[in-house]
Amino acid sequence: MRIVRGFFCLAAAAAVLFAQSQAPEKASQKDPKKDPDQIGNRQVDKGLNWYSIDKEMALGKAWAQQVQQNAQMVDDPVISEYVNRVGQNLARNSDAKFPLIIKVMHDDSPNALSLPGGFMFVNTGLILTAASEAELAGGMAHEIGHIAARHVTRTLTRQQASQLATIPLIFIGGWAGYGARQSAGALLPIGMLHFDRAFESEADLLGLEYMYKAGYDPNGLVDMFEKIDSLTKKKPGRAARIFSDHPLTGDRITAAQKDIQELLKSQPQYVVTTSEFEQVKARLIALEHKRKPAPQDDPNRPTLHRAPDKHIGLVAAE
Ligand code: ZN
């Protein structure tokens, strides 16, 4: 990988850069990230990143192709168009530098997958779990937060920097070879990509702001979190599979409630739900019933969620 190779003889420098990337972010009231009036005019993706915008988009495109080959997409035009419209409205009210490309995929877990470069996959389970458009928008806005802040490529950069810093120079050739294999076209490293706690709460904060700016009740995100939390408690086995590396802590719910109170000036009116949401959900339920056998019941079907550590989405990561 060119980006990696450029740094391969600078293991010490990489260590310094990595240390810088780990520095805690300032969390003062003046932090532009906490001011929804500055959406679109602030650098929410600031931080060590060895990927250019173009490189990130190429990587996201390659990974998105793999997701599409391994998961079943929803090709219903009404559902796709609706979910896309909700997402594009959020994206217009976000800091994202990438055009958003949204697909809906059959997967019963209430989640979504954000890839680098603006590629997002919304699970049918997220739509079916949501009780309102605001809840669905909350889940999607959180993902757009990850995309806008370029969390995947920043996480990859950190991982590469940390590995570079510990690899003896004698193995550099090997690492460069490894880097080349990881460039566009390489396998989607689901499971390697765990957002840390800071990125996760940043995506929560950005998601709340994007929903709010798009006119939604930001409590939709809190409601969605609470739903997932109660699902986790009710079905611990299933939840363990879904949320193994992304526990939804009570802290996140409390933090989101606090952010809403402190940062988002109350509006006289919010969009909570639409009749269109209800229609799309009913259509999806009918579509799921028609599918035989339901792919989630087929143990041989390869899905993104079969493997215990394959997950980087909505409730993503600590
Ligand atoms: Zn997340």
Side-chain angles (χ1 to χ4, degrees):
M1 181 182 293
R2 187 174 56 79
I3 295 161
V4 169
R5 232 182 273 137
F7 282 84
F8 70 77
C9 56
L10 298 169
V16 172
L17 288 167
F18 175 64
Q20 284 171 353
S21 77
Q22 301 294 298
E25 306 208 19
K26 219 161 77 182
S28 75
Q29 272 302 40
K30 285 176 190 162
D31 185 345
K33 258 187 273 182
K34 297 192 167 188
D35 181 1
D37 290 338
Q38 296 191 48
I39 290 173
N41 300 311
R42 52 190 192 175
Q43 300 292 316
V44 298
D45 60 345
K46 221 165 76 184
L48 181 66
N49 196 333
W50 292 348
Y51 292 77
S52 65
I53 295 280
D54 285 350
K55 189 96 184 168
E56 177 166 337
M57 285 171 77
L59 183 66
K61 192 175 174 191
W63 286 359
Q65 280 165 358
Q66 289 170 43
V67 172
Q68 284 184 252
Q69 283 160 10
N70 288 287
Q72 263 192 296
M73 296 298 124
V74 171
D75 54 13
D76 182 282
V78 175
I79 298 168
S80 306
E81 191 276 329
Y82 167 77
V83 173
N84 201 56
R85 191 147 33 89
V86 169
Q88 299 302 342
N89 184 32
L90 289 164
R92 269 194 301 278
N93 289 287
S94 81
D95 301 288
K97 288 179 178 155
F98 306 98
L100 198 63
I101 296 151
I102 307 168
K103 300 247 185 292
V104 182
M105 65 178 174
H106 287 287
D107 190 309
D108 60 347
S109 56
N111 211 335
L113 179 71
S114 44
L115 297 182
F119 294 86
M120 188 206 286
F121 292 87
V122 175
N123 289 0
T124 47
L126 183 68
I127 304 166
L128 295 174
T129 304
S132 66
E133 185 170 305
E135 289 186 16
L136 172 64
M140 292 175 70
H142 172 95
E143 295 300 331
I144 295 171
H146 281 309
I147 288 170
R150 305 180 68 200
H151 284 160
V152 175
T153 46
R154 285 166 66 193
T155 300
L156 284 174
T157 301
R158 286 179 180 184
Q159 289 173 349
Q160 289 160 2
S162 114
Q163 284 167 32
L164 278 182
T166 57
I167 291 171
L169 285 175
I170 195 164
F171 293 128
I172 283 301
W175 168 255
Y178 172 79
R181 286 197 299 278
Q182 293 303 303
S183 60
L187 287 178
L188 170 63
I190 291 182
M192 277 171 63
L193 290 174
H194 296 189
F195 296 132
D196 68 11
R197 190 183 279 265
F199 279 178
E200 210 48 51
S201 46
E202 186 171 83
D204 287 347
L205 170 67
L206 295 175
L208 284 172
E209 292 181 78
Y210 300 160
M211 293 181 74
Y212 173 83
K213 198 168 175 224
Y216 288 109
D217 181 354
N219 287 296
L221 183 61
V222 175
D223 293 343
M224 183 51 102
F225 279 169
E226 283 173 344
K227 213 156 277 173
I228 291 170
D229 192 38
S230 101
L231 192 74
T232 311
K233 283 171 188 148
K234 255 188 253 164
K235 298 184 178 175
R238 180 169 174 268
R241 172 171 70 81
I242 302 172
F243 304 121
S244 55
D245 51 352
H246 309 296
L248 178 65
T249 60
D251 292 359
R252 274 176 75 184
I253 297 176
T254 314
Q257 284 167 328
K258 195 166 166 261
D259 284 342
I260 292 171
Q261 269 185 355
E262 291 177 2
L263 308 175
L264 307 178
K265 210 169 78 189
S266 184
Q267 297 295 317
Q269 271 189 329
Y270 290 118
V271 173
V272 174
T273 200
T274 60
S275 55
E276 221 181 345
F277 170 78
E278 302 300 337
Q279 285 158 13
V280 162
K281 194 170 161 178
R283 194 176 171 97
L284 184 57
I285 291 168
L287 189 75
E288 295 282 284
H289 280 162
K290 258 194 268 170
R291 301 174 77 235
K292 287 177 187 170
Q296 59 265 39
D297 298 334
D298 174 1
N300 297 318
R301 173 182 171 263
T303 79
L304 290 171
H305 285 277
R306 279 302 157 202
D309 60 347
K310 285 186 172 182
H311 184 86
I312 53 174
L314 160 64
V315 200
E318 285 227 84

